[in-house]
Amino acid sequence: MRTATVTRNTLETQITVTLNLDGTGVGRFETGVPFLDHMMDQIARHGLIDLDVQAVGDLHIDAHHTVEDIGITLGQAFAKAIGDKKGIRRYGHAYVPLDEALSRVVIDLSGRPGLVYNVEYTRASIGQFDVDLFSEFFHGFVNHSMSTLHIDNLRGHNSHHQAETIFKAFGRALRMACEPDERMAGITPSTKGTLSA
């Protein structure tokens, strides 16, 4: 089973992420940031990843450190669980609509971190959640999972819908990229023979 548990402790946050890439989409989240919990549940359900995220952060300041550090720790756990990447599809993509909103996410488990993030939210916050923090979450993930990620919100008027389509598409793209490819069994999907830097 492709599983991992990573704990990351700093003076600002204490975070533990446990995941199973071959799960059934069960999520458990206690982060103190309810809207982020809702979005990570989309990753779990649509990625068929069992995901448990426990976090204590300096929320008396704001949610920035907590959200960014969860992205970092999730990326570390993902990198540990995916292993040497032999026999996987490597690339994944998904388009997901929700009413008027539509987002596209494309991922390459390339071994090279990079984020292209084209999202213009129609509001600065969703409830108490600052939408700027989503880019910090994804930066943390790509830098520590060593993956290339393109996120485009193609349309949308409701910021909740915009965010939800992004996270659903991310989960589905991640699922596709992680899936075993029978024709590539035991082979690294790269002409270089490696998917590290």
Side-chain angles (χ1 to χ4, degrees):
M1 298 293 283
R2 297 179 297 174
T3 62
T5 297
V6 172
T7 296
R8 184 176 187 272
N9 291 322
T10 73
L11 295 178
E12 297 167 338
T13 61
Q14 298 80 50
I15 297 167
T16 298
V17 171
T18 298
L19 60 78
N20 176 2
L21 296 178
D22 302 303
T24 58
V26 176
R28 178 172 172 260
F29 311 101
E30 294 180 13
T31 70
V33 186
F35 194 73
L36 181 64
D37 292 353
H38 179 47
M39 292 300 100
M40 288 191 296
D41 195 35
Q42 306 307 320
I43 299 172
R45 289 175 185 271
H46 290 272
L48 289 180
I49 297 168
D50 292 344
L51 183 57
D52 186 314
V53 181
Q54 305 297 308
V56 176
D58 53 1
L59 296 177
H60 60 284
I61 297 174
D62 68 9
H64 186 113
H65 298 141
T66 301
V67 174
E68 180 180 26
D69 289 3
I70 288 171
I72 289 170
T73 312
L74 178 62
Q76 291 172 335
F78 177 83
K80 186 176 178 182
I82 198 69
D84 63 12
K85 304 176 188 174
K86 288 183 179 179
I88 63 167
R89 296 192 182 280
R90 173 181 170 176
Y91 300 100
H93 63 272
Y95 285 81
V96 171
L98 175 57
D99 297 343
E100 88 298 343
L102 175 65
S103 293
R104 174 183 61 217
V105 174
V106 183
I107 192 166
D108 176 8
L109 305 182
S110 59
R112 297 181 306 280
L115 176 65
V116 177
Y117 186 79
N118 293 312
V119 183
E120 294 185 12
Y121 287 99
T122 56
R123 286 183 289 160
S125 62
I126 302 171
Q128 301 299 312
F129 188 89
D130 178 357
V131 296
D132 285 345
L133 299 182
F134 284 135
S135 65
E136 302 302 323
F137 173 87
F138 286 114
H139 269 112
F141 177 83
V142 301
N143 287 338
H144 293 269
S145 66
M146 301 297 286
S147 58
T148 302
L149 182 63
H150 290 249
I151 296 175
D152 295 278
N153 174 240
L154 303 176
R155 63 182 61 93
H157 302 299
N158 182 306
S159 57
H160 187 133
H161 293 172
Q162 289 175 289
E164 193 160 328
T165 57
I166 288 166
F167 276 83
K168 286 177 176 177
F170 175 65
R172 288 187 170 267
L174 200 58
R175 174 182 168 187
M176 180 186 291
C178 293
E179 283 179 343
D181 184 342
E182 291 180 3
R183 297 177 66 192
M184 291 290 288
I187 301 172
T188 300
S190 170
T191 55
K192 292 188 297 185
T194 181
L195 285 174
S196 58

